């Protein structure tokens, strides 16, 4: 088994503004979002980062996608360090979260071409990818409609195809099914399985247990910015219900604090 | 390089495909300025106004040049004067009692009548006025435009030197043209407002809507994104400024009662190149500055608020050339101020190549520095994700 993503002791501390400080009841003015997080994901697998709200999942994925920098430790994607070779990392990943918005003014077709060029694809490559992906997600029917006029689900599909336009080896999804109806969510999870079938490595974050059980080969449970349990799905659950296992781990982790 | 072009193309597409933006940034400013100035002109500049002009060696042929068209009132009242009174008339011009003094060659009437062949040297026509009085300036531009036309028709036969004479003003340093001092201010204001129309939207707006993060997860370098944005925003700001400038240009004769066209025609090709260079560096400076403020802001509204104090500073600096000009080299190191001073020097025909070169180099350094700062800001998560 080839390892594809490795996080080593990643630490991330946010400085809080006066307003945030009040909300978080913090006296130090700092929020430790990741407290020495380490994990390893392997090639050709789907890795699930599972954790409650505020555990640090989004923060970890943003560090992997080089959008933000770690304060300590390092992470490697396909052998490249996110701190030292951010451009190389970005070229090998597809990152998707609902926070990455597309400009309302443009059409899916225009944006697909624009991002294709930013990824260094030729016009022929872009056209070929478009021919593959647009029909696959039914984007053909609204390819020339401005993004601002699309529904949430349609926008999500467009974001999805744009994030994988360059056929990346590693795919990072933050809350892949958040805000989607069952049908669209199903399209997305089916597609993730298909990508896995093509030998891609995928890491997703979620707080939905059923999604992990259905989709993931390996799972890491994050609580309070630390890895509370990690392993293959079978190793972590030991054959029991994931939700029950999670509560036990959670009680133990919070009890420790 | 390719990535920079891709960004520029997208920014242009964003702008030029949006009819509202094109209308609001490119077409409306020019049209509004034209209408406003024309309106102001018809209120403030009274074309019925008449000027008192004393003429030494006057002749019926000369005053006939100013005969009004059928149905119009004569704009100039000519009074004959003797050469001995020249100094006292100049005093009266300074006092504002007389608008201008024209000193003609003794035989000018004969030259106009076409019956006299002058000595080989060109006859001098002196026009004296005082730029401290608007009516004097208007009288001057009226006189000189008519005499310029005469010079053109006689030009094949004789030379007339109409540029003799001059500005008697003690209110300020005499400059080649009264309006010239206003131009740097107008140019800066137009550049600034053009930039205000696009930069906050393109940077703070993308940040506010979360679209900038989508760009940042592509392999593009932050510096490429910054350069692409600054170049495209500068082009659009410059186009918007040109629109405003055309509006001003067309309405200037109405507003000032004088021909700005004559003035602009008097500059050499070289000074237009210099002017272009200075304006280019000014627009890049202003766009970079507003972009940095926009990157600091959390929303378009906040970016606009941040830019207001800077606008006041830039406009005041633009006005500075109306109060004083300096040729000191040290001034060339002060960004924006150096642009104003070089533009004022170009317009008043006192262009200095050294000052221009120092200004361009200094501004290039500032622009690189600002681009570097903006790149660093785009690398900072507090700036990109600051909510
Ligand atoms: N830019 C920021 N400034 C300050 N604090 C932040 C910032 N981003 C995240 N945090 C804090 O870091 C912690 C981890 O946040 P993160 O978004 O990573 O959680 P998450 O696991 O993705 O949660 P959720 O399931 O709700 O999405 C939270 O306490 C959050 O308030
Ligand atoms: Mg999250």
């Amino acid at each position: 088994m080839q390892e594809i993503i490795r996080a080593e002791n990643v630490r991330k501390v946010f400085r809080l503004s006066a307003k945030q400080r009040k909300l978080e009841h913090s006296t130090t003015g700092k929020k430790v979002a990741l407290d020495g997080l380490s994990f390893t994901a392997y090639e050709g697998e789907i890795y699930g980062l599972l954790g409650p709200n505020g555990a640090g999942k989004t923060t970890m994925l943003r560090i992997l996608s080089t959008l933000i920098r770690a304060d300590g430790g390092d992470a490697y994607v396909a052998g490249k360090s996110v701190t030292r070779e951010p451009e190389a990392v970005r070229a090998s990943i597809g990152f998707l979260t609902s926070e990455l918005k597309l400009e309302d003014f443009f059409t899916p077709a225009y944006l697909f071409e624009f991002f294709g060029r930013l990824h260094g694809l030729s016009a022929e490559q872009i056209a070929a990818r478009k021919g593959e992906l647009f029909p696959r997600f039914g984007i053909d029917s609204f390819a020339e409609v401005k993004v601002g006029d699309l529904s949430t689900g349609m926008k999500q599909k467009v974001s999805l195809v744009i994030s994988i336009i360059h056929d990346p080896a590693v795919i990072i999804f933050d809350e892949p099914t958040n805000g989607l109806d069952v049908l669209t969510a199903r399209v997305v999870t089916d597609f993730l399985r298909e990508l896995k079938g093509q030998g891609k490595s995928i890491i997703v974050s979620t707080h939905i247990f059923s999604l992990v059980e259905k989709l993931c080969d390996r799972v890491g449970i994050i609580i309070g910015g630390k890895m509370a349990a990690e392993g293959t799905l079978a190793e972590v659950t030991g054959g029991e219900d994931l939700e029950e296992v999670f509560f036990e781990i959670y009680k133990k982790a919070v009890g420790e604090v | 390089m390719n990535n920079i072009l891709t960004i520029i193309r997208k920014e242009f597409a964003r702008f030029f495909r949006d009819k509202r933006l094109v209308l609001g940034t490119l077409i409306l400013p020019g049209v509004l300025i034209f209408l406003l100035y024309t309106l102001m002109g018809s209120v403030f500049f009274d074309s019925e106004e008449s000027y008192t002009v004393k003429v030494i060696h006057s002749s019926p042929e000369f005053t006939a040049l100013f005969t009004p068209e059928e149905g119009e009132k004569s704009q100039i009242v000519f009074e004959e004067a003797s050469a001995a009174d020249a100094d006292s008339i100049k005093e009266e011009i300074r006092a504002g009692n007389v608008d201008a003094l024209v000193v003609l060659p003794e035989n000018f009437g004969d030259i106009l009548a076409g019956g006299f062949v002058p000595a080989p040297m060109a006859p001098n026509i002196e026009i004296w006025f005082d730029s401290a009085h608007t009516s004097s300036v208007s009288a001057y531009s009226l006189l000189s435009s008519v005499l310029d036309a005469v010079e053109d028709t006689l030009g094949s036969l004789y030379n007339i030197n109409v540029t003799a004479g001059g500005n008697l003003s003690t209110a300020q340093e005499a400059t080649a043209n009264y309006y010239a001092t206003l131009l740097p201010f107008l140019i800066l204001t137009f550049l600034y407002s053009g930039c205000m129309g696009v930069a906050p939207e393109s940077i703070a707006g993308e940040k506010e809507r979360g679209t900038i993060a989508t760009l940042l997860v592509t392999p593009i370098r932050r510096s490429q994104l910054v350069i692409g944005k600054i170049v495209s925003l500068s082009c659009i700001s410059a186009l918007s400024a040109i629109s405003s400038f055309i509006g001003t240009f067309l309405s200037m004769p109405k507003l000032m009662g004088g021909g700005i066209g004559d003035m602009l025609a008097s500059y050499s090709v070289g000074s237009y190149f210099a002017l272009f260079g200075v304006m280019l560096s000014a627009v890049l400076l202003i766009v970079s500055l507003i972009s940095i403020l926009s990157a600091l802001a959390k929303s378009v509204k906040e970016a606009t608020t941040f830019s207001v104090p800077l606008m006041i500073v830039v406009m005041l600096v633009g006005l500075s050339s109306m109060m004083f000009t300096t040729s000191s080299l040290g001034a060339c190191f002060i960004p924006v101020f150096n642009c104003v001073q070089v533009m004022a020097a170009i317009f008043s025909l006192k262009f200095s190549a050294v000052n221009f070169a120092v200004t361009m180099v200094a501004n290039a350094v500032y622009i690189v520095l600002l681009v570097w700062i903006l790149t660093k800001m785009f690398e900072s998560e507090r700036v990109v994700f600051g909510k």
Side-chain angles (χ1 to χ4, degrees):
Chain A
M1 254 189 323
Q2 185 81 34
E3 61 175 53
I4 188 92
I5 296 175
R6 185 156 44 89
E8 283 177 357
N9 256 319
V10 176
R11 224 182 126 71
K12 180 73 196 178
V13 182
F14 288 110
R15 264 180 291 155
L16 298 179
S17 65
K19 220 194 264 171
Q20 286 173 315
R21 215 172 291 181
K22 261 194 210 134
L23 284 174
E24 302 252 345
H25 303 291
S26 158
T27 44
T28 54
K30 283 183 180 156
K31 165 81 201 176
V32 180
L34 294 178
D35 192 5
L37 188 70
S38 304
F39 66 90
T40 312
Y42 295 90
E43 201 172 325
E45 290 192 349
I46 301 184
Y47 188 100
L49 273 183
L50 183 65
N53 294 137
K57 304 179 296 290
T58 299
T59 306
M60 185 62 230
L61 296 190
R62 280 182 178 175
I63 289 173
L64 285 180
S65 65
T66 79
L67 272 176
I68 64 177
R69 280 173 185 274
D71 298 316
D74 202 349
Y76 300 86
V77 177
K80 308 274 194 249
S81 152
V82 292
T83 51
R84 275 172 282 123
E85 299 157 280
E87 278 100 17
V89 169
R90 288 203 293 274
S92 62
I93 62 163
F95 182 50
L96 186 70
T97 103
S98 54
E99 295 155 319
L100 298 187
K101 299 283 187 341
L102 296 172
E103 277 185 79
D104 284 348
F105 179 79
F106 292 111
T107 63
Y110 182 91
L111 288 170
F112 191 81
E113 218 180 296
F114 170 65
F115 282 101
R117 271 194 242 115
L118 286 185
H119 277 288
L121 303 185
S122 69
E124 296 81 50
Q125 283 172 312
I126 294 173
R129 281 299 274 172
K130 197 168 163 186
E132 254 171 75
L133 292 169
F134 273 33
R136 169 78 177 72
F137 288 92
I139 296 173
D140 277 335
S141 60
F142 52 85
E144 297 300 339
V145 180
K146 284 187 177 178
V147 169
D149 297 331
L150 299 179
S151 74
T152 312
M154 290 165 161
K155 281 183 197 165
Q156 187 84 338
K157 286 179 186 171
V158 178
S159 292
L160 174 76
V161 297
I162 284 178
S163 71
I164 51 157
I165 187 169
H166 52 303
D167 198 16
V170 180
I171 289 148
I172 302 174
F173 267 13
D174 193 13
E175 313 271 4
T177 56
N178 231 14
L180 301 181
D181 66 21
V182 269
L183 295 175
T184 320
R186 187 58 182 264
V187 173
V188 172
T189 46
D190 283 352
F191 186 60
L192 287 177
R193 274 201 205 93
E194 190 184 314
L195 287 171
K196 180 190 160 186
Q198 295 168 9
K200 309 284 184 200
S201 315
I202 298 161
I203 177 167
V204 297
S205 88
T206 185
H207 47 250
I208 305 170
F209 299 104
S210 58
L211 188 75
V212 176
E213 284 173 323
K214 268 188 273 173
L215 206 61
C216 298
D217 303 296
R218 199 172 284 271
V219 59
I221 296 177
I222 306 187
I223 293 166
K226 283 188 192 136
M227 196 53 84
E230 198 198 6
T232 60
L233 200 55
E235 283 166 9
V236 171
T237 59
E240 279 178 64
D241 183 42
L242 180 60
E243 198 169 327
E244 294 304 319
V245 174
F246 174 79
F247 279 122
E248 259 162 50
I249 294 170
Y250 185 76
K251 257 186 260 161
K252 233 200 285 170
V254 175
E256 275 171 17
V257 173
Chain B
M1 194 61 209
N2 260 336
N3 284 340
I4 296 176
L5 285 180
T6 307
I7 295 287
I8 293 176
R9 269 167 61 183
K10 191 215 75 177
E11 291 289 322
F12 280 175
R14 175 71 190 88
F15 181 82
F16 288 105
R17 289 187 190 183
D18 192 334
K19 285 193 198 76
R20 280 215 326 256
L21 273 181
V22 171
L23 197 72
T25 323
L26 287 194
I27 299 175
L28 270 186
V31 173
L32 283 182
I33 284 175
F34 176 75
L35 291 179
L36 186 71
Y37 283 9
T38 307
L39 198 73
M40 276 167 62
S42 55
V43 173
F44 294 127
F45 176 68
D46 180 8
S47 61
E48 299 287 291
E49 194 182 0
S50 77
Y51 310 109
T52 312
V53 174
K54 300 245 180 188
V55 186
I56 295 175
H57 303 134
S58 188
S59 60
E61 286 86 355
F62 173 71
T63 50
L65 294 174
F66 296 88
T67 310
E69 309 236 326
E70 198 74 38
E72 276 180 31
K73 267 197 349 196
S74 170
Q75 273 193 291
I76 300 188
V77 177
F78 289 106
E79 292 174 11
E80 285 202 45
S82 76
D85 292 335
D87 286 339
S88 66
I89 292 170
K90 285 178 190 170
E91 268 320 303
E92 282 196 78
I93 291 174
R94 286 199 189 95
N97 300 330
V98 173
D99 291 313
L101 166 68
V102 181
V103 184
L104 298 172
E106 265 176 81
N107 45 27
F108 194 63
D110 296 330
I111 296 178
L112 286 177
F116 182 82
V117 180
M121 68 181 185
N124 263 332
I125 296 177
E126 297 175 15
I127 306 174
W128 298 94
F129 69 105
D130 184 342
S131 64
H133 306 291
T134 328
S135 63
S136 180
V137 176
S138 304
Y140 168 73
S141 37
L142 194 62
L143 287 165
S144 58
S145 62
V146 170
L147 287 171
D148 276 344
V150 173
E151 186 187 14
D152 287 342
T153 56
L154 293 181
S156 54
L157 294 171
Y158 319 107
N159 254 331
I160 314 177
N161 187 5
V162 205
T163 47
N167 189 350
L168 296 165
S169 183
T170 46
Q172 66 174 61
E173 227 180 280
T175 49
N177 197 301
Y178 174 73
Y179 311 125
T181 53
L182 194 62
L183 282 177
F185 168 73
L186 287 179
I187 290 173
L188 271 195
T189 309
F190 293 155
L191 287 179
Y192 201 94
S193 47
C195 181
M196 280 294 291
V198 287
E201 180 56 38
S202 168
I203 295 194
E206 283 221 35
K207 200 176 130 177
E208 188 179 4
R209 293 186 298 268
T211 52
I212 201 119
T214 317
L215 279 176
L216 294 179
V217 289
T218 66
I220 184 174
R221 287 174 183 279
R222 269 59 172 158
S223 53
Q224 293 172 327
L225 177 62
V226 166
I227 293 171
K229 286 242 175 211
I230 294 218
V231 169
S232 47
L233 293 177
S234 297
C235 291
I236 296 169
S237 306
L239 283 180
S240 164
I242 288 171
S243 148
S244 308
F245 199 76
I246 292 175
T248 312
F249 183 83
L250 294 179
S251 56
M252 216 49 154
K254 276 256 168 43
L255 181 63
M256 300 292 195
I260 196 177
D262 291 346
M263 181 188 91
L264 293 180
S266 64
Y267 304 122
S268 68
V269 177
S271 43
Y272 277 104
F273 273 115
L275 188 63
F276 180 76
V278 172
M279 283 165 70
L280 189 71
S281 74
V283 72
L284 286 167
L285 271 177
I286 292 173
V287 166
S288 312
L289 284 171
I290 297 184
S291 298
I292 286 177
L293 292 179
S294 302
L296 284 172
K298 294 178 181 69
S299 63
V300 178
K301 218 170 124 195
E302 204 175 272
T304 317
T305 313
F306 285 177
S307 311
V308 171
L310 179 66
M311 178 174 76
I312 294 171
V313 171
V314 167
M315 283 170 69
L316 284 179
V317 170
L319 282 173
S320 70
S321 71
M322 298 181 82
M323 289 168 273
F324 64 93
T325 51
T326 169
S327 53
S328 107
L329 214 52
C332 299
F333 290 99
I334 308 171
V336 185
F337 181 70
N338 56 12
C339 299
V340 175
Q341 289 301 324
V342 171
M343 282 194 270
I346 292 172
F347 290 133
S348 56
L349 307 174
K350 283 189 220 144
F351 176 71
S352 145
V354 176
N355 285 18
F356 171 71
V358 173
T359 295
M360 292 304 282
V361 171
N363 283 351
V365 172
Y366 293 129
I367 291 161
V368 169
L369 197 72
L370 291 174
V371 166
W372 181 78
I373 291 174
L374 199 54
T375 304
K376 286 287 150 220
M377 288 175 77
F378 272 36
E379 277 165 12
S380 150
E381 59 195 72
R382 286 182 78 77
V383 168
V384 178
F385 291 105
K387 284 272 158 61

Coordinates of all heavy atoms in Angstrom, one line a residue, chain B residues 10 31 58 99 131 139 151 181 213 234 266-267 274 278 299 302 323 349 367:
Chain B
K10 N -10.2 37.0 -18.3 CA -11.4 36.8 -17.5 C -11.9 38.2 -17.0 O -13.1 38.5 -17.0 CB -11.2 35.9 -16.4 CG -12.5 35.5 -15.7 CD -12.4 35.2 -14.2 CE -12.2 36.5 -13.5 NZ -12.2 36.4 -12.0
V31 N -20.3 61.3 -20.6 CA -21.5 62.0 -20.9 C -21.9 63.0 -19.8 O -22.2 64.1 -20.0 CB -22.6 61.0 -21.2 CG1 -23.9 61.7 -21.4 CG2 -22.3 60.2 -22.4
S58 N -3.8 100.6 -34.1 CA -5.0 99.9 -34.6 C -5.3 100.4 -36.0 O -4.7 101.4 -36.5 CB -6.2 100.2 -33.7 OG -7.3 99.4 -34.1
D99 N -9.2 94.5 -20.3 CA -9.0 93.0 -20.4 C -7.7 92.6 -21.1 O -7.1 91.6 -20.7 CB -10.2 92.4 -21.0 CG -11.4 92.4 -20.1 OD1 -11.3 92.1 -18.9 OD2 -12.5 92.9 -20.6
S131 N -3.6 86.5 -16.1 CA -4.3 85.2 -15.8 C -5.1 85.2 -14.5 O -5.8 84.3 -14.2 CB -3.4 84.0 -15.9 OG -2.4 84.1 -14.8
A139 N -10.5 86.9 -23.0 CA -10.2 87.9 -24.1 C -9.0 87.5 -24.8 O -8.9 87.5 -26.1 CB -10.0 89.3 -23.5
E151 N -2.9 84.3 -39.1 CA -1.5 83.9 -39.3 C -1.5 82.7 -40.3 O -0.7 82.7 -41.2 CB -0.8 83.5 -38.0 CG 0.7 83.1 -38.2 CD 1.3 82.5 -37.0 OE1 0.6 82.1 -36.1 OE2 2.5 82.5 -37.0
T181 N -2.8 74.2 -15.5 CA -2.7 73.8 -14.1 C -3.8 73.0 -13.6 O -3.7 72.2 -12.7 CB -2.6 75.1 -13.2 OG1 -3.7 75.9 -13.5 CG2 -1.3 75.8 -13.5
A213 N -11.2 32.3 -3.3 CA -10.6 31.1 -2.8 C -10.6 30.0 -3.9 O -9.7 29.2 -4.0 CB -11.4 30.6 -1.6
S234 N -6.1 48.3 -14.4 CA -5.5 49.5 -14.8 C -6.0 49.9 -16.2 O -6.3 51.1 -16.5 CB -4.0 49.4 -14.9 OG -3.5 49.2 -13.6
S266 N -0.5 72.5 -29.0 CA 0.8 73.2 -28.9 C 1.9 72.3 -28.3 O 3.1 72.7 -28.2 CB 0.7 74.5 -28.1 OG 0.3 74.2 -26.8
Y267 N 1.6 71.1 -27.8 CA 2.6 70.2 -27.2 C 3.2 69.3 -28.2 O 2.5 68.9 -29.1 CB 2.0 69.4 -26.0 CG 1.4 70.3 -25.0 CD1 0.0 70.1 -24.6 CD2 2.1 71.3 -24.4 CE1 -0.5 71.0 -23.7 CE2 1.6 72.1 -23.4 CZ 0.2 72.0 -23.1 OH -0.3 72.8 -22.2
A274 N 5.7 61.4 -23.0 CA 6.0 61.5 -21.5 C 4.7 61.5 -20.7 O 4.6 60.9 -19.7 CB 6.8 62.8 -21.3
V278 N 3.7 59.0 -17.7 CA 3.3 59.5 -16.3 C 1.9 59.0 -16.0 O 1.7 58.5 -14.9 CB 3.4 61.0 -16.3 CG1 2.9 61.5 -14.9 CG2 4.8 61.5 -16.5
S299 N -15.7 43.8 2.6 CA -16.8 43.9 1.6 C -16.5 45.0 0.7 O -15.6 45.9 0.9 CB -18.1 44.1 2.3 OG -18.0 45.3 3.0
E302 N -17.0 48.3 2.4 CA -15.9 48.7 3.3 C -14.7 49.2 2.4 O -14.1 50.2 2.8 CB -15.5 47.5 4.1 CG -14.8 47.9 5.4 CD -14.5 46.7 6.3 OE1 -15.4 46.3 7.1 OE2 -13.4 46.2 6.2
M323 N -1.2 75.6 -7.0 CA -0.7 76.5 -6.0 C 0.8 76.7 -6.1 O 1.3 77.8 -6.0 CB -1.1 76.0 -4.6 CG -2.5 76.2 -4.3 SD -3.1 75.3 -2.9 CE -3.5 73.7 -3.5
L349 N 5.0 73.6 -20.5 CA 6.2 73.6 -21.4 C 7.5 73.8 -20.7 O 8.4 74.4 -21.2 CB 6.0 74.7 -22.5 CG 4.7 74.7 -23.3 CD1 4.6 75.9 -24.2 CD2 4.6 73.5 -24.1
I367 N 5.6 50.6 -7.6 CA 4.6 49.7 -8.1 C 5.0 48.3 -7.8 O 4.2 47.5 -7.4 CB 4.4 49.9 -9.6 CG1 3.7 51.3 -9.8 CG2 3.5 48.9 -10.2 CD1 3.8 51.9 -11.2

